Amino acid sequence: SQQGEEDPQALSIQEGENATMNCSYKTSINNLQWYRQNSGRGLVHLILIRSNEREKHSGRLRVTLDTSKKSSSLLITASRAADTASYFCATDSSYKLIFGSGTRLLVRP
Amino acid sequence: NAGVTQTPKFQVLKTGQSMTLQCAQDMNHNSMYWYRQDPGMGLRLIYYSASEGTTDKGEVPNGYNVSRLNKREFSLRLESAAPSQTSVYFCASSVVQGAEAFFGQGTRLTVV
């Protein structure tokens, strides 16, 4: 089974709202990463948070990591229609990048 | 600077045929990966290469072989294609294992 599991599987919000998606994983990690995938395209790296970090920001993105709960969350603030995509967490465990099943985000104009 | 380039972009195979998916990166990365993505699902790791000269199995290696030809190139071979291998295949690279990965645009493979 996959290391990371995202929740929810799908999310629909209005433009301007915030979007929060969560990722849970099973084993200890070196870092956790978030990626975006537009329909039918390759994945694009968004942000990396190391296991000794608790929170990280990049533009409108905020990522938190709780290693005691083996979970992470990605917050996208002030969402735009262009944020419509699938979002995946990936854990670096034993130096292999293992991906979760993803959250499909729809931002309605 | 092309990043990660995969060829072909699309392929249809008959059951039992063989083929090789090619991947090349021009970022001088040490690590390279092959993933498959089935409809509505995440990526599953097939094989990876931590550095030139090494390859290791990922989550779903059965039915596949890989070759790390040199630092730039990492190919994936299907010896006898099966319908269950119908998927989108992504190649990725990173400067070292576990670092930010850069992805190719994918190869859409259909096995009939």
Side-chain angles (χ1 to χ4, degrees), chain A residues 59-84:
Chain A
R60 293 184 297 113
L61 305 179
R62 172 178 169 254
V63 169
T64 61
L65 179 65
D66 187 335
T67 53
S68 66
K69 295 181 179 178
K70 292 187 169 58
S71 67
S72 173
S73 67
L74 171 68
L75 169 67
I76 304 174
T77 60
S79 63
R80 306 165 181 169
D83 294 328
T84 293

Side-chain angles (χ1 to χ4, degrees), chain A residues 33-86:
Chain A
Q33 303 175 35
W34 286 90
Y35 289 79
R36 183 185 72 214
Q37 183 181 38
N38 290 94
S39 181
R41 308 295 297 274
L43 278 72
V44 174
H45 182 266
L46 295 176
I47 195 166
L48 180 154
I49 186 166
R50 302 193 185 284
S51 60
N52 61 354
E53 297 176 310
R54 292 297 169 257
E55 187 171 314
K56 201 162 184 179
H57 297 254
S58 176
R60 293 184 297 113
L61 305 179
R62 172 178 169 254
V63 169
T64 61
L65 179 65
D66 187 335
T67 53
S68 66
K69 295 181 179 178
K70 292 187 169 58
S71 67
S72 173
S73 67
L74 171 68
L75 169 67
I76 304 174
T77 60
S79 63
R80 306 165 181 169
D83 294 328
T84 293
S86 291

Side-chain angles (χ1 to χ4, degrees), chain B residues 49-71:
Chain B
S49 171
S51 59
E52 185 178 356
T54 69
T55 60
D56 286 286
K57 295 178 180 179
E59 301 170 280
V60 288
N62 291 345
Y64 305 94
N65 285 301
V66 290
S67 295
R68 183 75 183 266
L69 304 170
N70 48 55
K71 192 170 186 179

Side-chain angles (χ1 to χ4, degrees), chain A residues 1-3 31 33 35 37 40-43 45 48 88 92 94-102 104, chain B residues 33 35 37 40-45 48 57-59 90 97-106 108:
Chain A
S1 61
Q2 293 183 279
Q3 160 80 314
N31 67 59
Q33 303 175 35
Y35 289 79
Q37 183 181 38
R41 308 295 297 274
L43 278 72
H45 182 266
L48 180 154
F88 297 90
D92 166 25
S94 302
Y95 301 104
K96 293 182 291 187
L97 263 187
I98 304 296
F99 284 79
S101 52
R104 294 187 305 280
Chain B
Y33 314 84
Y35 291 89
Q37 184 177 31
M41 296 183 66
L43 279 72
R44 290 184 290 172
L45 181 63
Y48 65 102
K57 295 178 180 179
E59 301 170 280
F90 288 100
Q97 273 186 289
E100 172 188 353
F102 293 78
F103 281 79
Q105 289 303 298
R108 294 181 180 277

